[in-house]
């Protein structure tokens, strides 16, 4: 008989699901405060230039408006991410189209669009830099193309960050290339991608000289915004309160950007004396906010005639846009994932994030790994073709195995079985039979069909010592009714945070799932449990919730109010007796390496060591059809197999994979950001094409479960993983269908036409 109190491994209703279904959930644009005004942004019309004048023509009654420029900022004119190169409002110069210059507020939202258009700004325009290659020309000495002169610590012009990751000496690598049976080279490119969350960016801000700044809105990382506000307003953190409202999707797009829109709304609130709401429409959100970094990856690989990787050189470059924002850490994750789940005797990975005059690129699900994994998995198929092996056999001869070492030198102490994962994925997808069938039927058909796969891994949690530096904290308090209430800054934006953290607490405490509460993220009330990013919530924060739940139970037992074992009714009685005697009970858990886990050593300077506490491993298989009449490629079937530790909530986990695969299909075949002199010109959902449900194939989700010591009940990170594998699997399948090796995404019909007809 099953345990009615077991929740981990089952799929209870979403914690906030009922409120969403009934329409009771309050998103930021549902909220109105007394006396609230509305804000809008006047943005740059040019990509790069000096502002020569700002004028306000008399046909608009400007006395009715609050107007904010950089001169009104009481603290530093900076949006802090990793460096302070990003102005809150442009002051003298602009570096990308849509850069904020002037802020307006008015009690009537409807008058703002005309006022924004009426503000006249003139520029002394300068030549723009719009590609990685143009940025490299500036880095190599062309002063006319230098748009970023380095951080406060110096550095190469136009280069936000570089990394060098080496295994073996340069001399070893040189000799290996000199003696290799094969040297295979390739260049691969990926485009920008819009997060396209359902709910646009929105914020409401309040200000008072006594209380400071209070900001509420749609976001992922409340404490990031606290940090930004302390600088813009020159206030201590305790006077910068941030509350996450119900958030309709994020995918990384609401990690760093709320620091921008939140600071803007707060500046208008300070000057106007009213609460101010700023909610972007879709066109402004798409044109002015961050996207996935475009990339260029070059591979040069030494291979033996029996298909063993001997050594490699990987050059990985990303387009960071006009300001550094999160580019250094996106570059870091892309660099570490560039070698994939393979054994490299020698390797050199050099990477760089370049400055261009487009709006800054930022966080997006996968965070650099989809770019470098795409290049690697396309390159592995190229190597297989060159040396005469199947894609499957080449990978089998080079997979990492338990006890092996990654390219950073990390010892794989966790069980790793890529051989079994590949076998199961190919079996589940009927890969060999389908491949043979397509080889037989393609010659006489106008619809060319193919099947391909990608093998990959994704690190869970922050890189290296990142989790130790974050020092994340979770608390659990007893409510006056004797119910546990989770206090954490981890945010729910559709992925299931509220549900899985509650499941972990309920399972640990032996209580019904419905008995456990979780607080709204409010920095005046919840501790900093770290950002909701990097596939860390279920694993890192979940483990903290598990530990805090154990402490709560222990506190009740040690006080004499509770005896083991107990029923939920006995727990509630004990909790109420404890509260009656002591007034309150609040326990906490701060991050530390789990007992029994191997120590984590990471060298940021040498870029070697233990890159992540653990990894999730996967093999994805795609079937495609390419119509040689229309040159359109579609995905007709998809199998996604992953080992992600313990699956806490099977329905939510499968949904994460299905949603990530859908985004990956869009990344590969549909979603192209079209730029003209740095400005996105297809910033509407009518001309930014993404796959709808009608364009998606059946997506079959399969899990392997090998619990990890690092996560709650053995869970690993899952959210970013499904973004990594679809694009290379799809293009590998398209090559099988067409015998053409496409190397860039998105791969649109016109791209297929060009190579198939020339």
């Amino acid at each position: 008989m099953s345990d009615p109190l077991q929740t981990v491994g089952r799929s209870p209703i979403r914690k906030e699901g009922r409120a969403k279904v009934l329409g009771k959930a309050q998103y930021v644009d549902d909220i109105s405060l007394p006396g609230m005004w509305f804000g809008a942004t006047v943005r740059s019309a040019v990509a790069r230039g000096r502002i020569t004048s700002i004028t306000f023509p008399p046909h608009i009654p400007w006395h009715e408006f609050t107007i904010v420029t950089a001169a009104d900022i009481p603290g530093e004119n900076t949006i802090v991410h990793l460096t302070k190169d990003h102005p809150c409002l442009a002051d003298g110069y602009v570096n990308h189209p849509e850069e904020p210059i002037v802020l307006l507020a008015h009690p009537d939202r409807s008058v703002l669009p005309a006022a924004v258009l009426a503000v006249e700004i003139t520029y002394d325009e300068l030549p723009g830099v719009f590609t990685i290659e143009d940025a490299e020309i500036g880095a190599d000495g062309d002063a006319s193309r230098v748009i970023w002169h380095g951080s406060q610590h110096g550095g190469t012009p136009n280069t936000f960050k570089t990394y060098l990751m080496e295994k073996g000496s340069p001399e070893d690598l040189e000799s290996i290339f000199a003696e290799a049976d094969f040297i295979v080279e390739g260049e691969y490119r990926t485009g920008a991608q819009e997060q396209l969350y359902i709910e646009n960016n929105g914020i409401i801000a309040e200000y008072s000289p006594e209380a400071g700044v209070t900001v509420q809105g749609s976001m992922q990382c409340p404490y990031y915004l606290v940090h930004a506000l302390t600088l813009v307003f020159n206030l201590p953190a305790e006077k910068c309160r941030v509350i996450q409202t119900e958030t309709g999707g994020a995918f990384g797009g609401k990690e760093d950007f709320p620091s921008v829109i939140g600071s803007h709304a707060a500046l208008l609130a300070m000057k106007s004396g009213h609460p101010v709401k700023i909610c972007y429409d879709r066109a402004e959100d798409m044109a002015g906010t961050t996207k996935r970094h475009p990339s260029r990856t070059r591979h040069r690989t030494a291979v033996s005639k029996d298909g063993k990787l001997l050594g490699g050189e990987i050059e990985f470059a990303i387009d960071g846009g006009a300001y550094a924002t999160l580019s250094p850490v996106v570059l870091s994750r892309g660099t570490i994932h560039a070698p994939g789940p393979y054994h490299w005797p020698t390797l050199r990975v050099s990477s760089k994030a370049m400055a261009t005059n487009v709006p800054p690129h930022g966080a997006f699900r996968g965070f650099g790994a989809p770019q470098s994994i795409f290049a690697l998995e396309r390159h592995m198929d190229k190597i297989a073709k060159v040396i005469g092996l199947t894609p499957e056999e080449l990978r089998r001869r080079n997979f990492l195995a338990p006890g092996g070492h990654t390219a950073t030198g990390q010892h794989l102490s966790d069980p790793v079985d890529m051989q079994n994962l590949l076998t199961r994925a190919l079996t589940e997808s009927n890969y060999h039979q389908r491949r043979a069938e397509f080889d037989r039927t393609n010659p006489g058909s106008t619809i060319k069909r193919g099947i391909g796969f990608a093998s990959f891994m994704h690190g869970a949690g922050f890189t290296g010592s990142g989790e130790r530096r974050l020092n994340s904290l979770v608390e659990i308090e007893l409510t006056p009714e004797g119910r546990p209430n989770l206090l954490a800054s981890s945010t729910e934006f559709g992925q299931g945070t509220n549900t899985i953290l509650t499941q972990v607490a309920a399972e640990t405490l032996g209580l019904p799932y419905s008995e456990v509460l979780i607080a709204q993220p409010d920095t005046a009330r919840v501790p900093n449990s770290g950002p909701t990013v990097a596939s860390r919530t279920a694993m890192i924060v979940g483990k903290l919730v598990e530990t805090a739940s154990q402490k709560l139970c222990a506190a009740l037992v040690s006080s004499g109010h509770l005896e083991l074992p107990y029923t939920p009714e006995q727990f509630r009685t004990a909790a109420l007796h404890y509260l009656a005697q002591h007034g309150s009970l609040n326990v906490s858990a701060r991050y530390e390496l789990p007992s029994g886990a191997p120590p984590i050593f990471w060298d940021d300077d040498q870029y070697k060591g233990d890159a992540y506490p653990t990894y999730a491993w996967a093999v994805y298989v795609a079937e495609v059809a390419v119509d040689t009449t229309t040159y359109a490629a579609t995905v007709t079937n998809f199998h996604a197999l992953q080992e992600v530790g313990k699956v806490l909530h099977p329905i939510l986990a499968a949904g994460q994979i299905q949603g990530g695969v859908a985004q990956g299909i869009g990344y590969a075949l549909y979603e192209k950001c079209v730029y003209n002199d740095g400005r996105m010109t297809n910033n509407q959902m009518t001309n930014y094409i993404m796959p709808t449900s009608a364009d998606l194939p059946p997506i079959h989700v399969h899990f392997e479960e090998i619990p990890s010591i690092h996560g709650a009940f053995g869970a690993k990170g899952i959210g970013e993983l499904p973004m990594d594998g679809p694009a290379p699997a799809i293009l590998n399948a398209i090559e099988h269908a067409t015998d053409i090796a496409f190397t860039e995404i998105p791969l649109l019909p016109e791209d297929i036409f060009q190579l198939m007809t020339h």
Side-chain angles (χ1 to χ4, degrees):
M1 185 174 178
S2 62
D3 183 354
L5 296 180
Q6 180 188 343
T7 59
V8 165
R10 298 185 180 180
S11 299
I13 188 173
R14 276 180 174 272
K15 204 65 177 174
E16 78 289 353
R18 187 177 301 276
K20 288 178 175 176
V21 169
L22 296 177
K24 294 181 178 179
Q26 293 283 295
Y27 295 84
V28 64
D29 214 15
D30 297 322
I31 299 169
S32 184
L33 300 180
M36 188 174 74
W37 286 26
F38 299 90
T41 310
V42 182
R43 300 177 178 276
S44 172
V46 303
R48 181 184 176 211
R50 184 172 63 88
I51 299 170
T52 56
S53 69
I54 303 174
T55 56
F56 299 87
H59 67 279
I60 298 288
W62 296 109
H63 65 279
E64 297 178 1
F65 291 78
T66 292
I67 301 171
V68 166
T69 67
D72 296 299
I73 295 173
E76 295 184 51
N77 183 17
T78 187
I79 300 295
V80 64
H81 303 289
L82 300 171
T83 63
K84 295 182 179 180
D85 68 319
H86 185 185
C88 179
L89 291 169
D91 187 11
Y93 287 87
V94 293
N95 283 306
H96 66 84
E98 316 299 342
E99 182 161 9
I101 301 172
V102 178
L103 305 173
L104 304 176
H106 193 279
D108 182 355
R109 178 185 262 173
S110 67
V111 307
L112 284 166
V116 168
L117 290 173
V119 178
E120 295 180 352
I121 304 176
T122 59
Y123 310 88
D124 179 8
E125 197 167 351
L126 298 168
V129 170
F130 302 118
T131 65
I132 291 172
E133 286 72 22
D134 280 348
E136 288 174 327
I137 293 171
D140 290 339
D142 185 341
S144 69
R145 302 206 191 188
V146 174
I147 60 172
W148 197 82
H149 294 275
S151 70
Q152 57 266 42
H153 306 297
T156 304
N158 288 355
T159 309
F160 292 133
K161 186 67 177 178
T162 62
Y163 293 107
L164 178 61
M165 190 171 84
E166 292 183 295
K167 184 178 182 183
S169 70
E171 294 75 22
D172 290 341
L173 194 59
E174 187 177 330
S175 64
I176 283 170
F177 273 109
E179 298 172 6
D181 296 313
F182 297 94
I183 296 175
V184 184
E185 299 186 49
E187 180 175 296
Y188 309 90
R189 292 177 181 266
T190 66
Q193 186 184 19
E194 164 64 30
Q195 293 91 349
L196 217 67
Y197 26 69
I198 295 175
E199 180 202 24
N200 301 332
N201 273 282
I203 290 286
I204 300 173
E206 302 170 82
Y207 178 87
S208 78
E210 298 77 29
V213 181
T214 299
V215 171
Q216 58 181 315
S218 186
M219 68 187 74
Q220 290 179 241
C221 309
Y223 276 94
Y224 279 14
L225 182 47
V226 169
H227 188 196
L229 293 170
T230 60
L231 293 176
V232 171
F233 287 88
N234 192 27
L235 287 172
E238 58 269 22
K239 286 200 169 187
C240 297
R241 179 185 181 189
V242 177
I243 305 164
Q244 186 225 12
T245 58
E246 203 72 68
T247 297
F251 307 116
K254 294 173 184 172
E255 177 179 346
D256 51 340
F257 195 81
S259 294
V260 178
I261 186 174
S263 296
H264 290 172
L267 286 167
L268 286 168
M270 178 190 70
K271 192 168 182 182
S272 70
H274 294 269
V276 172
K277 177 191 287 188
I278 300 179
C279 287
Y280 294 162
D281 64 17
R282 182 65 69 181
E284 183 176 20
D285 197 296
M286 291 181 71
T289 70
T290 58
K291 300 187 176 27
R292 186 184 302 285
H293 293 71
S295 76
R296 182 197 68 204
T297 308
R298 292 170 174 157
H299 275 265
R300 182 169 178 256
T301 310
V303 191
S304 68
K305 59 176 180 256
D306 61 350
K308 290 291 184 71
L309 300 175
L310 302 175
E313 292 179 336
I314 304 173
E315 297 177 5
F316 179 55
I318 62 173
D319 176 349
Y323 301 112
T325 63
L326 297 174
S327 291
V329 283
V330 172
L331 184 71
S332 169
R333 191 165 282 250
T335 301
I336 293 169
H337 286 79
Y342 306 110
H343 173 66
W344 295 84
T346 58
L347 182 68
R348 176 187 173 94
V349 183
S350 56
S351 62
K352 58 189 178 183
M354 306 303 291
T356 59
N357 293 121
V358 300
H361 296 298
F364 194 151
R365 188 180 201 168
F367 213 70
Q371 293 93 316
S372 61
I373 289 171
F374 168 77
L376 175 69
E377 286 301 290
R378 287 298 292 125
H379 193 63
M380 290 294 285
D381 268 32
K382 182 174 185 176
I383 293 171
K385 197 168 189 178
V386 167
I387 67 175
L389 289 176
T390 65
E392 173 190 358
E393 187 57 33
L394 175 70
R395 287 169 173 83
R396 288 196 185 279
R397 294 183 186 188
N398 292 283
F399 276 143
L400 287 167
H405 291 81
T406 68
T408 67
Q410 180 169 356
H411 176 249
L412 292 173
S413 56
D414 284 355
V416 178
D417 196 349
M418 286 299 295
Q419 300 286 354
N420 173 63
L421 281 180
L422 181 55
T423 298
R424 183 180 167 193
L426 299 185
T427 301
E428 296 277 6
S429 61
N430 208 17
Y431 172 86
H432 295 107
Q433 293 88 338
R434 299 294 280 168
R435 195 170 182 93
E437 177 188 339
F438 297 154
D439 288 342
R440 186 174 62 253
T441 59
N442 275 342
S445 175
T446 59
I447 306 294
K448 308 296 183 185
R449 300 184 183 275
I451 189 167
F453 70 90
S455 309
F456 56 102
M457 64 184 191
H458 197 102
F462 267 36
T463 301
S465 55
E467 290 297 343
R468 194 163 59 247
R469 288 196 303 269
L470 277 175
N471 203 25
S472 299
L473 183 67
V474 161
E475 297 176 0
I476 303 179
E477 65 178 7
L478 286 179
T479 70
E481 299 76 31
R483 299 174 68 182
N485 187 29
L486 307 184
L487 305 175
S489 62
S490 299
T491 52
E492 170 69 58
F493 40 87
Q495 83 283 35
T497 294
N498 290 346
T499 302
I500 60 169
L501 295 184
T502 303
Q503 281 182 274
V504 168
E507 183 86 8
T508 307
L509 291 166
L511 298 178
Y513 168 75
S514 58
E515 272 297 291
V516 180
L517 307 174
I518 187 165
Q520 179 182 25
D522 176 346
T523 60
R525 176 152 165 69
V526 304
N528 188 352
S529 52
T532 312
V533 300
S535 300
R536 65 182 299 275
T537 301
M539 187 177 84
I540 300 295
V541 182
K543 190 71 172 178
L544 292 177
V545 168
E546 184 180 12
T547 302
S549 299
Q550 293 165 348
K551 288 184 175 182
L552 180 65
C553 180
L556 291 174
V557 170
S558 64
S559 68
H561 293 90
L562 185 65
E563 292 184 2
L564 299 175
Y566 57 82
T567 65
E569 293 74 17
Q570 289 168 334
F571 179 93
R572 176 78 72 92
T573 299
L576 291 173
H577 287 163
Y578 187 100
L579 293 173
Q581 183 174 341
H582 300 282
S584 65
L585 177 56
N586 183 299
V587 297
S588 64
R590 191 174 288 282
Y591 175 78
E592 58 185 25
L593 202 62
S595 175
I600 294 175
F601 296 107
W602 177 253
D603 187 329
D604 272 310
D605 295 325
Q606 296 296 317
Y607 236 62
K608 291 181 179 179
D610 304 315
Y612 299 99
T614 190
Y615 298 84
W617 308 82
V619 178
Y620 284 7
V621 185
E623 287 186 32
V624 302
V626 181
D627 189 330
T628 58
T629 303
T630 64
Y631 299 95
T634 54
V635 184
T636 57
N637 204 10
F638 202 98
H639 285 264
L641 170 65
Q642 44 269 308
E643 188 279 294
V644 294
K646 176 66 178 176
V647 176
L648 300 177
H649 191 295
I651 289 178
L652 285 179
Q656 281 284 292
I657 302 303
Q658 290 164 343
V661 168
Q663 283 184 315
I665 291 171
Y667 188 40
L669 296 178
Y670 296 92
E671 298 180 48
K672 184 169 186 175
C673 296
V674 180
Y675 290 97
N676 182 15
D677 289 340
R679 172 171 280 105
M680 186 181 185
T681 58
N682 61 327
N683 58 320
Q684 301 174 58
M685 292 181 72
T686 52
N687 54 14
Y688 180 85
I689 307 303
M690 63 171 288
T692 68
S693 57
D695 304 303
L696 295 174
I699 300 171
H700 311 278
V701 178
H702 314 282
F703 291 110
E704 292 274 340
E705 293 186 90
I706 304 175
S708 168
I709 194 172
H710 293 281
F713 293 94
K716 298 180 184 179
I718 192 174
E720 295 175 292
L721 181 82
M723 193 71 231
D724 296 337
I730 291 164
L731 265 72
N732 287 344
I734 290 174
E735 181 174 0
H736 176 227
T738 64
D739 203 32
I740 297 174
F742 297 98
T743 58
E744 298 186 24
I745 55 172
L747 183 64
L748 305 183
E750 50 265 41
D751 304 314
I752 297 174
F753 170 81
Q754 187 171 17
L755 280 183
M756 288 191 76
T757 58
H758 291 80

